[in-house]
Amino acid sequence: SDPISIQRCQIHFPSFRCETCSEEEAKYRCPRCMKYSCSLLCVKKHKLALSCNGIRDKTAFVSVNEFTDLNLLSDYRFLEDVGRTADAAARDLSVHRPTTNKFINYLRNRARRHNIILKTLPIGFTKRRENSTIFNKKEQKFYWHLKLMFPHCHAEYTLKRVPEDKTLTDILKPYIDPVESDPVVCQRLKIYTMSPQSDVQILMKIENRRQNSTRYNELDASRSLLDNLKDKVIIEYPTLFVVLKTLKNDMVVLGQVASEKSSRLGKISYNKPTVHKRE
């Protein structure tokens, strides 16, 4: 027989009740909010209720009394990840590209063929640094860096490499579609998912205007991203504002002011003119 006998040992942890259903014994603990759950269903429920993403906060404060070897190992790995990211950024040639290089000029020229005026910012600006827009020569199409803004919920999301032929409806489905959207995102954007699709309005800021005369273009959700960007000025990448028509906002849509003025003038023209008699 083997001189070394290996026996399985079971480590017993203190039992806790599920903090979602309060019925079953907990089997899982959320790395983010440390809530106990008994099943996958309860895990999903607690994420929706608390808007929790389930990802451990690597920078959360841990007191000295609670600090363990696992926390030390976690901090060590975190520092390794930071060092690795910094080294990769230092090696990335795209960070050090001048604004007049061939890559930027090529993007501008390709955009100009679609009647899109693409402008770039100097190195050091946030939009310049985070822009991931490319043009795929093999497929002959743009993959845009895109930012979605949801003002009524004070939420914003960044999308990378969005194909130019994708419709705005398909782009927004993971966010405001009541069936296809992510549960956590759906909960955060609840006011949008509960509203009818006809109430959703997609706007894009008109660039090169005075600061006190900001205007927006209304985009067509049924058309592709490229079709909506034609004949427009874009600084680095498109930013789309998703608003609800029934809710008040300060965004003035181009053409909306003119139509409102004409409607008011129409009403005035129907008023009976005042006749002043000469004394």
Side-chain angles (χ1 to χ4, degrees):
S1 62
D2 193 345
I4 301 175
S5 59
I6 302 175
Q7 297 180 350
R8 291 185 179 180
C9 61
Q10 293 183 348
I11 301 176
H12 296 279
F13 294 97
S15 60
F16 295 93
R17 286 286 177 182
C18 175
E19 295 183 62
T20 302
C21 67
S22 302
E23 296 178 359
E24 301 293 333
E25 185 177 341
K27 298 179 181 178
Y28 313 101
R29 194 176 189 186
C30 178
R32 182 77 178 186
C33 62
M34 308 305 288
K35 294 289 184 182
Y36 289 97
S37 302
C38 65
S39 62
L40 181 60
L41 180 61
C42 285
V43 170
K44 290 182 177 179
K45 284 183 178 179
H46 110 266
K47 285 184 177 181
L48 285 174
L50 302 177
S51 297
C52 176
N53 57 14
I55 301 174
R56 183 178 63 85
D57 185 5
K58 297 179 181 179
T59 60
F61 174 77
V62 180
S63 64
V64 177
N65 296 333
E66 298 176 352
F67 201 84
T68 64
D69 291 341
L70 289 176
N71 297 117
L72 179 62
L73 180 61
S74 176
D75 289 349
Y76 179 76
R77 288 177 175 172
F78 175 71
L79 292 174
E80 278 189 328
D81 291 339
V82 171
R84 194 179 301 112
T85 304
D87 182 64
R91 296 171 182 270
D92 188 1
L93 296 177
S94 63
V95 176
H96 307 289
R97 285 188 186 129
T99 55
T100 56
N101 64 13
K102 293 182 180 179
F103 175 75
I104 297 298
N105 286 333
Y106 180 72
L107 284 182
R108 288 173 180 167
N109 293 332
R110 298 301 308 195
R112 195 177 297 116
R113 295 186 184 184
H114 297 289
N115 294 328
I116 300 173
I117 301 176
L118 181 61
K119 296 187 175 183
T120 56
L121 298 169
I123 293 176
F125 281 76
T126 303
K127 291 189 73 173
R128 170 88 286 271
R129 187 171 59 250
E130 66 187 9
N131 191 3
S132 62
T133 301
I134 63 167
F135 184 83
N136 189 307
K137 293 183 180 179
K138 185 177 181 181
E139 300 179 12
Q140 288 295 298
K141 68 179 182 180
F142 273 98
Y143 283 84
W144 289 95
H145 186 101
L146 188 64
K147 183 168 287 188
L148 300 178
M149 308 289 290
F150 297 87
H152 303 305
C153 296
H154 304 287
E156 65 177 65
Y157 298 92
T158 300
L159 287 70
K160 294 185 177 181
R161 308 291 168 86
V162 180
E164 64 177 30
D165 52 359
K166 196 170 186 178
T167 63
L168 300 189
T169 300
D170 290 336
I171 293 173
L172 291 178
K173 272 184 180 180
Y175 300 91
I176 62 175
D177 189 279
V179 178
E180 298 187 26
S181 60
D182 179 85
V184 177
V185 176
C186 181
Q187 182 66 20
R188 186 179 184 187
L189 303 178
K190 193 174 182 180
I191 192 173
Y192 289 91
T193 55
M194 295 181 65
S195 301
Q197 293 296 318
S198 57
D199 192 28
V200 176
Q201 192 176 26
I202 307 172
L203 308 177
M204 190 169 78
K205 182 181 176 182
I206 302 175
E207 304 293 352
N208 295 339
R209 290 183 64 94
R210 295 191 306 272
Q211 190 172 3
N212 58 351
S213 64
T214 304
R215 295 291 183 272
Y216 295 84
N217 277 317
E218 182 174 4
L219 307 183
D220 188 347
S222 63
R223 301 179 67 183
S224 69
L225 178 60
L226 181 64
D227 289 339
N228 279 288
L229 296 181
K230 288 181 178 179
D231 303 317
K232 294 179 178 64
V233 177
I234 299 173
I235 299 179
E236 289 294 345
Y237 56 80
T239 299
L240 308 185
F241 295 84
V242 185
V243 300
L244 298 175
K245 299 176 185 177
T246 53
L247 296 181
K248 184 180 179 182
N249 61 74
D250 299 328
M251 298 179 178
V252 181
V253 181
L254 189 67
Q256 181 175 298
V257 178
S259 62
E260 288 178 356
K261 285 183 178 179
S262 61
S263 63
R264 285 199 297 268
L265 289 173
K267 290 180 182 179
I268 294 172
S269 63
Y270 284 105
N271 292 337
K272 187 177 180 180
T274 304
V275 178
H276 297 278
K277 295 181 179 180
R278 180 179 296 177
E279 295 180 355

